Amino acid sequence: MTRGGAVAVVGGGIIGLSIAWRLLRGGADVVVLDDGEPGAWFVAAGMLAPGGEAAYEEPYLARLLELSNERWPSFAAELGVDVGYDDAGTLSLAMTADDLADAARVWTRQKLPLLRPSELREREPALSPRVRAGVYAAAERQVDPRRVVAALRERLAGRIVHKRIDELSEVDAATVIVAAGCGTAALTGLPVRPVKGQVLRLRGEPGLLRHVLDAAVDGRHVYLVPRRDGEIVVGATQEERTDRTVTAGGVHDLLRAALELVPDLAECSLVETTVGHRPGTPDNAPLLGRLGDDGRVIVAAGHHRNGVLLAPITADLIAGLVLDGVADPLLDHFAPGRF
Amino acid sequence: MTRGGAVAVVGGGIIGLSIAWRLLRGGADVVVLDDGEPGAWFVAAGMLAPGGEAAYEEPYLARLLELSNERWPSFAAELGVDVGYDDAGTLSLAMTADDLADAARVWTRQKLPLLRPSELREREPALSPRVRAGVYAAAERQVDPRRVVAALRERLAGRIVHKRIDELSEVDAATVIVAAGCGTAALTGLPVRPVKGQVLRLRGEPGLLRHVLDAAVDGRHVYLVPRRDGEIVVGATQEERTDRTVTAGGVHDLLRAALELVPDLAECSLVETTVGHRPGTPDNAPLLGRLGDDGRVIVAAGHHRNGVLLAPITADLIAGLVLDGVADPLLDHFAPGRF
């Protein structure tokens, strides 16, 4: 399908690189055009969590998330280096009675058995005694997005060009894949909006936490993603804002919820405070597929909170579309032109 | 007194530089030996607060603090550049009934009239309505220590040598002044211990705060020092620790107290998190004067929380000792050998 083998991917984030890697392995002559600005992957914690409330409201999105989650083990293995893929699983937790009432609806649908505080602390000794209930989601794992991007960049050595694209007409290629995250809006006119997230990185003794913790703490959602080396990612605010400011209020709210959940985090060092922007869409499902009639432009963007999780399935679907000219029926539900 | 005019000051922090500047103006041939590590001044907020509880327990320290505070306006003016000297004064505040009971003892001794919440918010509109009471201390001002050090360095251009001193015998000078902060312990054997302080710097709209705010918030002491350019320094933890770790707990506690005091700070950006070590002594009063019998070594260290405030009087007393050979009687109470 690609004339002269020429495919250009606009955007060198985790989506663009994953697609380019699959294309390269499929024999395409691919180049990634990247503006050098770290995307949402740089801030993301890397939770691979196909469950959660949104999925139930969008069954096709739920299916996409599940499929991609199933592909992560082989995707990580094929990268050939340690990308922090960790299958210890997630404890989903509720701190107050109100938090529990909210969470229980999701847990019931997930058919996960409720664990009592003593059972939770057996699994995760550092948890506050105030945690009221939780469930163990074995299928919700983690990966380190910074390691994934580094591995993908290595696989694509020589194929990544540092260039900022302002108009798709600047791109000289038979096929152009727009995987530009929030930048996709300006390039295509599609409704991708930035959803600001503030994220902290702490560092403590390795082993302080064993699982990903995903919790509601007095009505506030917080997650803690512990890496094997002692790093603990704490996220994230969700703000409909475009600025890049780390705010006193954002950092305070994250630290408060994290410390209420795991008091021993107080002694950890606070090593990084960052801001990223999730590429949101009107229904918060991604935009995947051809744009316009000439077949030249393909979009893979708008992954909102699920960019890391959805990288493998996005790469496979888009590579299939380019290499074989076949649109998987699943793509119908994520057509960029649906709005 | 100085043979060949040769005076070496070990330590290029605010104390060492202030002494060297006074000596240079007095005609001494002075050199500052500095290891390049920023001292406590880099982290310090620059509150010039001679009041407070400690002063009443140590009448001679109270006198020293008062005298130095009186000298700050001319000290700042003589530096010839804007060092952020600001005489808007301090609001000392109490959030809860317990905070008020504690603070009232100090305020009564200071003979400052109690201000009601409405009077406080008239002076400082951004204050939380939860603030229970406070006083206005007109004599407690602020300066920006980073600007002061920059100005002093300029005044001493060509006289500052980047050199780490491990033993005083390495210093080839007729008179050696040890103004090495926490490093004074290793150089002299004197009991100077590091008292860790974590300090934040926020940035918001200039004018959000008008005064220095010095508050007790649910038993926790916090101060907010607003600069004219919108920077707000938030300090400080007091920890008997030597590490340089910015901790999740430290940042959380400072932000919580600051946001309870001034809720609008939530929107400010968090631009800096730093750790410094105050040079504490057994009685937390400084060590000022000759060490040993040969008269070669003079100490000016151990200023604990008052290094910025005490810089002018320390410089004058030590310069007088070196240039005129006269020990001001005030120095008797701060003799380095008193322990």
Side-chain angles (χ1 to χ4, degrees):
Chain A
M1 285 297 288
T2 60
R3 285 194 301 279
V7 185
V9 179
V10 180
I14 198 162
I15 296 293
L17 293 173
S18 296
I19 294 168
W21 178 44
R22 287 308 205 207
L23 287 170
L24 188 68
R25 296 200 336 168
D29 178 18
V30 65
V31 66
V32 178
L33 306 171
D34 183 47
D35 66 5
E37 299 285 326
W41 61 269
F42 184 75
V43 172
M47 289 170 71
L48 305 177
E53 197 138 18
Y56 292 92
E57 294 159 9
E58 294 276 344
Y60 295 108
L61 177 58
R63 178 91 187 112
L64 197 71
L65 295 166
E66 288 289 353
L67 281 174
S68 204
N69 198 40
E70 288 165 16
R71 290 181 196 198
W72 252 108
S74 60
F75 188 86
E78 287 164 33
L79 280 167
V81 294
D82 178 10
V83 293
Y85 182 79
D86 182 313
D87 61 2
T90 294
L91 289 176
S92 185
L93 303 165
M95 185 69 100
T96 69
D98 285 349
D99 295 332
L100 177 55
D102 272 354
R105 293 184 296 122
V106 179
W107 296 342
T108 302
R109 284 187 296 208
Q110 288 176 308
K111 300 186 175 57
L112 295 171
L114 205 66
L115 300 177
R116 291 190 309 273
S118 61
E119 293 170 307
L120 290 168
R121 278 201 304 286
E122 204 166 299
R123 281 187 173 277
E124 197 66 86
L127 275 184
S128 163
R130 285 184 56 220
V131 174
R132 187 171 288 253
V135 295
Y136 173 59
E140 308 209 337
R141 302 173 185 123
Q142 65 153 306
V143 73
D144 184 340
R146 295 181 183 179
R147 285 173 180 257
V148 174
V149 164
L152 287 165
R153 283 177 174 166
E154 204 159 302
R155 290 307 184 112
L156 289 157
R159 300 255 167 201
I160 304 173
V161 176
H162 185 259
K163 186 176 179 185
R164 181 185 158 84
I165 303 297
D166 291 312
E167 304 265 354
L168 292 184
S169 58
E170 298 168 32
V171 182
D172 180 25
T175 301
V176 179
I177 299 168
V178 183
C182 293
T184 302
L187 289 168
T188 63
L190 290 168
V192 180
R193 75 186 194 286
V195 181
K196 178 180 171 182
Q198 303 189 47
V199 174
L200 313 178
R201 278 171 168 78
L202 312 184
R203 191 166 285 279
E205 286 296 311
L208 173 61
L209 294 179
R210 301 169 181 176
H211 306 79
V212 172
L213 304 182
D214 187 15
V217 179
D218 297 327
R220 186 171 298 279
H221 178 224
V222 67
Y223 51 79
L224 304 177
V225 180
R227 312 279 191 222
R228 284 191 292 270
D229 66 358
E231 179 179 274
I232 298 171
V233 185
V234 182
T237 65
Q238 283 214 72
E239 309 164 63
E240 295 286 341
R241 298 177 63 151
T242 59
D243 67 84
R244 301 200 60 86
T245 306
V246 174
T247 65
V251 173
H252 171 261
D253 291 349
L254 291 172
L255 286 177
R256 183 179 55 183
L259 293 174
E260 288 192 5
L261 199 60
V262 182
D264 285 352
L265 292 178
E267 292 296 308
C268 288
S269 60
L270 172 63
V271 292
E272 219 185 278
T273 58
T274 48
V275 169
H277 291 92
R278 309 167 188 90
T281 63
D283 59 5
N284 287 330
L287 311 174
L288 305 174
R290 293 191 192 283
L291 186 69
D293 295 331
D294 68 357
R296 180 177 178 260
V297 175
I298 293 171
V299 174
H303 291 74
H304 195 226
R305 301 178 60 190
N306 298 306
V308 177
L309 173 54
L310 289 176
I313 191 84
T314 300
D316 289 344
L317 291 171
I318 301 297
L321 190 60
V322 173
L323 295 169
D324 311 323
V326 177
D328 188 294
L330 200 54
L331 284 173
D332 293 348
H333 308 285
F334 304 102
R338 70 183 179 275
F339 303 113
Chain B
M1 286 298 288
T2 61
R3 286 195 298 279
V7 185
V9 179
V10 180
I14 199 164
I15 296 293
L17 293 172
S18 295
I19 293 168
W21 178 42
R22 287 309 205 206
L23 286 170
L24 188 68
R25 296 199 337 167
D29 178 18
V30 66
V31 66
V32 177
L33 305 172
D34 183 47
D35 66 4
E37 298 287 324
W41 60 269
F42 184 75
V43 172
M47 289 170 70
L48 305 176
E53 197 139 13
Y56 292 92
E57 295 159 8
E58 293 276 344
Y60 294 107
L61 177 58
R63 177 91 188 110
L64 196 72
L65 295 166
E66 287 290 353
L67 280 173
S68 203
N69 197 40
E70 287 166 15
R71 291 180 194 198
W72 252 108
S74 60
F75 189 85
E78 288 165 33
L79 281 167
V81 294
D82 178 10
V83 292
Y85 183 79
D86 183 311
D87 62 3
T90 294
L91 288 176
S92 186
L93 303 165
M95 185 68 98
T96 69
D98 284 348
D99 295 332
L100 177 55
D102 271 354
R105 291 184 298 124
V106 179
W107 296 341
T108 302
R109 284 186 295 210
Q110 288 176 310
K111 300 186 174 59
L112 295 171
L114 205 66
L115 300 177
R116 291 189 308 272
S118 61
E119 294 170 307
L120 290 169
R121 279 201 304 286
E122 203 167 299
R123 281 188 173 274
E124 196 66 84
L127 275 185
S128 163
R130 286 185 55 220
V131 174
R132 188 172 287 254
V135 296
Y136 174 60
E140 307 210 338
R141 303 173 184 127
Q142 65 152 304
V143 73
D144 184 339
R146 294 181 184 180
R147 286 174 181 256
V148 174
V149 165
L152 286 166
R153 282 177 174 166
E154 203 159 303
R155 290 307 183 113
L156 288 158
R159 300 253 165 201
I160 303 175
V161 176
H162 185 259
K163 187 176 180 185
R164 180 185 160 83
I165 302 297
D166 291 311
E167 303 267 355
L168 292 183
S169 58
E170 297 168 32
V171 183
D172 180 25
T175 301
V176 180
I177 299 169
V178 183
C182 292
T184 301
L187 289 168
T188 63
L190 289 168
V192 180
R193 76 186 192 285
V195 181
K196 179 180 171 182
Q198 301 189 48
V199 174
L200 314 178
R201 279 169 165 79
L202 311 183
R203 189 165 288 278
E205 286 297 309
L208 172 61
L209 294 179
R210 300 170 181 175
H211 306 79
V212 172
L213 304 182
D214 188 13
V217 179
D218 297 328
R220 186 171 298 279
H221 179 224
V222 67
Y223 51 79
L224 304 177
V225 180
R227 313 280 190 222
R228 285 190 291 268
D229 65 359
E231 178 179 273
I232 298 172
V233 185
V234 182
T237 64
Q238 285 214 71
E239 307 163 64
E240 296 285 342
R241 297 177 62 147
T242 58
D243 67 85
R244 300 199 62 84
T245 305
V246 174
T247 65
V251 173
H252 171 262
D253 291 349
L254 291 171
L255 286 176
R256 182 178 58 183
L259 293 173
E260 287 192 6
L261 198 62
V262 182
D264 285 354
L265 292 178
E267 292 296 308
C268 288
S269 61
L270 172 62
V271 292
E272 219 185 277
T273 58
T274 48
V275 169
H277 290 93
R278 310 167 188 90
T281 63
D283 59 4
N284 287 329
L287 311 173
L288 305 173
R290 294 193 193 282
L291 185 69
D293 295 333
D294 68 357
R296 181 175 179 258
V297 176
I298 293 171
V299 175
H303 291 74
H304 196 224
R305 302 178 59 190
N306 297 306
V308 177
L309 172 55
L310 289 176
I313 191 85
T314 300
D316 289 344
L317 290 171
I318 301 296
L321 189 59
V322 173
L323 295 169
D324 312 322
V326 176
D328 188 295
L330 200 52
L331 285 174
D332 293 347
H333 307 285
F334 304 101
R338 69 183 180 275
F339 303 112

